[in-house]
Amino acid sequence: MSATLAPPAARSARPAKPQATYSPQTLRFGALELPTRWLLSPLAGFTNLEFRKIARDLGGVGLGTTDLVNARGLLEGSKKSLELIETGPGDSPFAVQLFGNDAHLMSEAAKLVEGRGVDSIDINMGCPVDRVCKTGAGSKLMQDTSRTTDLVTAVVNAVEVPVTVKMRLGWDDKQLTAPDFARRFEDCGVTAVMIHGRTRAQGFSGTISLPGIAAVCDAVSSIPVIGNGDVRSVEDADRMLKETGCDGVSVGRGALANPWIFRQLVQWETTGSYDPPGSFADRMELLKRQFGDLCDRHGEERAVPRFRKMAHWYLKAMRVRAELRGVVQQAKDRAEFDAALQRVWDEGPIGQLTRTGLLPDMQVPVPKGPVERW
Ligand SMILES: Cc1cc2nc3c(=O)[nH]c(=O)nc-3n(C[C@H](O)[C@H](O)[C@H](O)COP(=O)(O)O)c2cc1C
């Protein structure tokens, strides 16, 4: 069974990239052509290499980005930062997101990641977390026009690869600085802007402002604007495109609940209809693959605790009984984890649902985001 929704009218003519089955609209970040206009948003702790590969293999992802990476940490050789920028075959096009408030350190970090072959560099101006804002980085950058413009200019001048900025609407509803910044960033050579339709003061609460995103689209002359926030379905993306005039859409939490969403978006824009997301059995396969890949990269001991948060999402979406989900969460090593998964498989989803049939619409609760420590 497939759902139908009329495809969007093209905002501007763009060269179509030939593909075996579909020809989605592409997007340009300067010299970099993205295969689709549907981007995976960075979600610290989730959108790691293993998850990016899963989403990409399912199809439709135009760009995958790392979690926010501390520019200073990277330059000091922090193991955590270096791990975050690891990539591998199939993880392309690939962006590293840097955060910091020092123009020199940010430029040096940008050069370092460029030297490792990254396709584009994103500057974080959206992180609302106190620990980051207190250092003058993340959303805090949106309160200092001249210093921030200087920082962005320095990064753009330091590297050849495209530089983008991901920001919020502003610090709070009295300081909606995003349109002004977007215009300035375009002037200093930024190749695209991603805009999460909330202010820093909102954290992840309330709803996104589509007019706020539209104001950013209106402010720039030619660079693409990527709308972001609360997109969990093709219908949400359609609304975002229509009501804001944005050029592409970036999906974060919606992709954890439904990693098929990018493929659905491409199917929809090219055919007008799209397949449902995967079944219990499909999700079990992805879960096992992601966990296996994580074990290969980090070793079992580190992979088991690291995978808990992600396993929670998979199992909720698979409609696994709460008590059994708890058993998976308590697994201390790979053997216990595998045994718990076997129980999950044997029992299957709750109620009348089957392992291979359609699961009901996602009931995965939307996390409240880092501000509220979900
Ligand atoms: C757990 C979590 C971690 C996040 N980490 C980052 C990050 O590292 N960098 C960033 O720019 N945004 C980060 N975000 C914000 C998302 O990229 C996105 O802008 C926001 O969640 C709204 O989009 P969504 O509703 O599609 O998730 C994070 C959000 C959450 C919930």
Side-chain angles (χ1 to χ4, degrees):
M1 198 176 75
S2 65
T4 310
L5 184 73
R11 185 173 177 234
S12 57
R14 293 197 180 84
K17 190 173 175 177
Q19 265 207 0
T21 327
Y22 302 111
S23 299
Q25 263 192 53
T26 57
L27 198 59
R28 290 203 84 84
F29 284 6
L32 176 69
E33 183 177 54
L34 306 184
T36 77
R37 57 191 170 141
W38 316 113
L39 281 59
L40 174 62
S41 276
L43 296 173
F46 293 93
T47 45
N48 52 24
L49 174 59
E50 289 73 25
F51 182 74
R52 293 197 302 270
K53 277 190 184 163
I54 297 258
R56 289 184 195 275
D57 282 358
L58 295 176
V61 175
L63 180 74
T65 306
T66 61
D67 298 3
L68 76 176
V69 181
N70 186 332
R72 184 187 293 274
L74 200 56
L75 293 168
E76 288 172 353
S78 133
K79 190 166 177 243
K80 185 183 165 205
S81 304
L82 289 168
E83 244 172 34
L84 286 175
I85 64 165
E86 275 175 24
T87 181
D91 187 28
S92 159
F94 168 61
V96 168
Q97 187 187 65
L98 295 173
F99 81 93
N101 85 328
D102 181 295
H104 176 68
L105 290 181
M106 288 288 280
S107 307
E108 290 302 308
K111 284 188 209 161
L112 186 154
V113 295
E114 181 180 48
R116 291 184 171 226
V118 68
D119 295 303
S120 70
I121 293 167
D122 186 48
I123 300 178
N124 180 305
M125 252 174 240
C127 182
V129 178
D130 257 355
R131 167 166 49 81
V132 170
C133 290
K134 269 188 193 135
T135 67
S139 311
K140 191 69 186 169
L141 288 171
M142 299 197 70
Q143 284 195 303
D144 191 338
T145 312
S146 96
R147 209 172 122 81
T148 298
T149 311
D150 287 350
L151 180 149
V152 170
T153 307
V155 176
V156 168
N157 290 338
V159 291
E160 299 289 322
V161 291
V163 173
T164 61
V165 175
K166 179 164 179 287
M167 57 185 169
R168 287 182 173 242
L169 297 179
W171 186 256
D172 57 26
D173 59 9
K174 307 248 162 358
Q175 305 172 73
L176 298 174
T177 49
D180 180 53
F181 271 120
R183 199 175 304 118
R184 288 171 190 271
F185 294 158
E186 180 168 34
D187 289 345
C188 45
V190 158
T191 55
V193 167
M194 288 74 155
I195 175 84
H196 176 189
R198 287 187 174 85
T199 62
R200 190 267 175 182
Q202 272 183 283
F204 287 85
S205 64
T207 49
I208 55 153
S209 163
L210 293 176
I213 296 177
V216 175
C217 297
D218 291 343
V220 299
S221 9
S222 63
I223 59 169
V225 174
I226 314 299
N228 167 243
D230 299 353
V231 171
R232 289 188 200 95
S233 63
V234 167
E235 290 77 3
D236 292 339
D238 183 40
R239 189 162 158 245
M240 171 88 78
L241 288 175
K242 282 193 180 125
E243 293 190 22
T244 69
C246 66
D247 301 272
V249 173
S250 182
V251 184
R253 294 168 291 181
L256 295 186
N258 171 17
W260 287 268
I261 191 165
F262 305 100
R263 180 165 89 184
Q264 291 179 323
L265 286 162
V266 167
Q267 288 179 329
W268 162 67
E269 73 177 341
T270 49
T271 68
S273 64
Y274 56 95
D275 295 331
S279 63
F280 176 96
D282 297 326
R283 286 171 192 267
M284 178 61 105
E285 202 183 307
L286 297 187
L287 184 162
K288 284 184 170 172
R289 188 182 131 198
Q290 197 178 329
F291 178 63
D293 287 353
L294 205 62
C295 288
D296 290 347
R297 188 156 72 109
H298 297 294
E300 275 178 52
E301 233 169 74
R302 292 171 69 205
V304 170
R306 275 187 190 210
F307 194 61
R308 285 195 184 114
K309 280 199 295 188
M310 195 70 211
H312 173 79
W313 280 93
Y314 273 113
L315 299 173
K316 282 284 251 189
M318 287 160 67
R319 298 303 186 91
V320 172
R321 192 165 53 89
E323 200 194 344
L324 197 47
R325 293 201 308 266
V327 176
V328 178
Q329 291 297 319
Q330 278 151 28
K332 286 184 226 41
D333 54 32
R334 189 167 190 174
E336 282 187 21
F337 189 78
D338 288 346
L341 282 191
Q342 186 59 49
R343 282 184 62 186
V344 168
W345 176 257
D346 291 343
E347 189 170 304
I350 53 169
Q352 304 303 309
L353 300 169
T354 64
R355 292 182 186 77
T356 50
L358 272 183
L359 291 165
D361 277 350
M362 287 303 115
Q363 295 295 317
V364 181
V366 176
K368 296 277 192 286
V371 155
E372 295 159 52
R373 302 196 54 224
W374 57 290

